[in-house]
Amino acid sequence: MSKRALITGITGQDGSYLAELLLSKGYEVHGLVRRSSSFNTQRIDHLYQDPHEPNARIFLHYGDLSDGARLVTLLSQIDPDEVYNLAAQSHVRVSFDEPEHTGDTTGIGSIRLLEAVRVAGVRCRFYQASSSEMFGASPPPQDEDTLFYPRSPYGAAKVYSYWVTRNYREAYGLFAVNGILFNHESPRRGETFVTRKITRAVARIRAGREKLLYMGNLDAVRDWGYAPEYVEGMWRMLQADEPKDYVLATSTPCTVRQFLQTAFDHAGLDWEKHVRFDDRYLRPTEVDSLIGDAGRAEADLGWKATVHAPELARIMVDADIDALECEGRPWIDRPSLSAWA
Ligand code: NAP
Ligand code: F7E
């Protein structure tokens, strides 16, 4: 019997890579998709199978983390072995504009899902997508024992989700874990996160379609890894003998400025000629420096990041140049996809 998994946030960057990984391992994969007036499934269209096919192994269900009753119904119907809660309003800057919505989905959404698991009586393992943003102002290096000091409504909502996940583990014996993931990127990264914003702009400037890129704080330090490696870590956390929380990170610091320089250099461009400052991209409170220590994940799960920021920047620039040259064709159909996953 193949295992069954439910992924919330399957249409996002991580959800799409995780769905690929689980399908490759023989899982039956169920994904929660928000209804929208235009399709929001571009990242998983290449995985889609007509549910009428007798051998279909991926199934999409309309639902939303704001709708607890729907979550109970779906949990009861699907009866999954593993639940991955990846859905969230995940943009830190946007969480200052939409703090209440962010709290409702990124925070309360998690307890709606945990309650749905409990009420439906499903015996599953549960993964919560926690974040290095929970560490916020705590100085690096950060690991599983570092004090949380969130600096945004997003970070605060993730702290809430972290603690309710631990509480359901302790109160109800649920195999529930927090993956505390540092920034991870890919050619599928949303276009307003800083890495993808940079690599898209590099491709467009190189092609003569744009001249300038407006940016905020270039001094922020991040620990950027490669998303396909991180979803492997999520899966390993749910295969462990006991439920524990784990940091996933590369431990390699990189400033936004260094990422910019690497990306522009790779395309033969001088970043200083093209980048301008705009204070609209500053946050009311910034997270200055995130550098993770993933020693526990390496020791217990054998997980270690191999792609670091400079290589990541080159992968993403190449993919955006390629995408621009293939414009008009859906990027997911391009043969280079296998190299990304
Ligand atoms: P992402 O690309 O922004 O994807 C977020 C997903 O959540 C999308 O599928 C989105 O659906 C869905 N979603 C948003 N609100 C929802 C709601 N109310 N109900 C149901 N689904 C909803 O994020 P990601 O980069 O893949 O990250 C996955 C998770 O890991 C997120 O929880 C994020 O906060 C967390 N995380 C990410 C990183 C990182 O560096 N990427 C690091 C640490 C933690 P639509 O496609 O319809 O918008
Ligand atoms: O910003 C600076 C910005 O938006 C990175 C999410 O996946 O990782 C992500 O959160 C840094 C910040 O990601 C621009 O101020 C400068 O210091 O790419 P970002 P993030 O805020 O680190 C964590 C781990 C998550 O959990 C989140 O879900 O870059 N920065 N100039 C800029 N950032 C953006 N977006 N745009 C700029 O123009």
Side-chain angles (χ1 to χ4, degrees), residues 7-17 32-36 38-43 63-67 71 85-91 101 104-106 109-110 112 127-133 154 158 179-186 188-190 193 223-225 227 230-231 234 248:
I7 304 174
T8 73
I10 195 169
T11 56
Q13 170 189 259
D14 290 5
S16 67
Y17 285 119
L32 188 75
V33 177
R34 292 199 283 183
R35 198 268 161 185
S36 96
S38 51
F39 280 111
N40 54 357
T41 55
Q42 297 90 321
R43 293 187 180 99
D64 195 298
L65 283 192
S66 62
D67 181 355
L71 297 177
N85 184 28
L86 309 187
Q89 190 302 94
S90 72
H91 202 285
H101 169 72
D104 190 37
T105 54
T106 308
S110 306
R112 288 195 189 98
Y127 175 88
Q128 168 59 26
S130 286
S131 165
S132 53
E133 279 292 306
Y154 169 81
K158 284 288 185 187
I180 307 173
L181 272 51
F182 282 62
N183 301 54
H184 47 280
E185 321 289 309
S186 74
R188 298 186 198 169
R189 186 58 146 148
F193 295 96
D223 175 332
W224 280 295
Y230 284 57
V231 302
M234 295 176 187
L248 298 184

Side-chain angles (χ1 to χ4, degrees), residues 126-127 144 162 166 169 175-180 237-238 240-247 296 299-301:
F126 186 95
Y127 175 88
E144 293 83 359
Y162 169 94
R166 278 190 67 159
R169 179 162 86 214
F175 189 113
V177 304
N178 286 286
I180 307 173
M237 286 180 214
L238 289 200
D241 291 337
E242 29 165 348
K244 274 198 221 169
D245 304 324
Y246 289 98
V247 159
R296 183 192 281 180
D300 289 6
L301 309 174

Side-chain angles (χ1 to χ4, degrees), residues 122 172 201 210:
V122 174
Y172 304 114
E210 276 169 23

Side-chain angles (χ1 to χ4, degrees), residues 110-132:
S110 306
I111 206 163
R112 288 195 189 98
L113 190 61
L114 284 161
E115 240 335 67
V117 168
R118 191 181 72 80
V119 169
V122 174
R123 296 176 60 81
C124 63
R125 294 185 169 201
F126 186 95
Y127 175 88
Q128 168 59 26
S130 286
S131 165
S132 53

Side-chain angles (χ1 to χ4, degrees), residues 90 131-132 154 183 189 192 194 197 216-217 220 222 283 286:
S90 72
S131 165
S132 53
Y154 169 81
N183 301 54
R189 186 58 146 148
T192 59
V194 77
K197 178 172 168 176
N217 174 19
R222 289 292 182 273
R283 286 128 198 231
E286 173 65 293

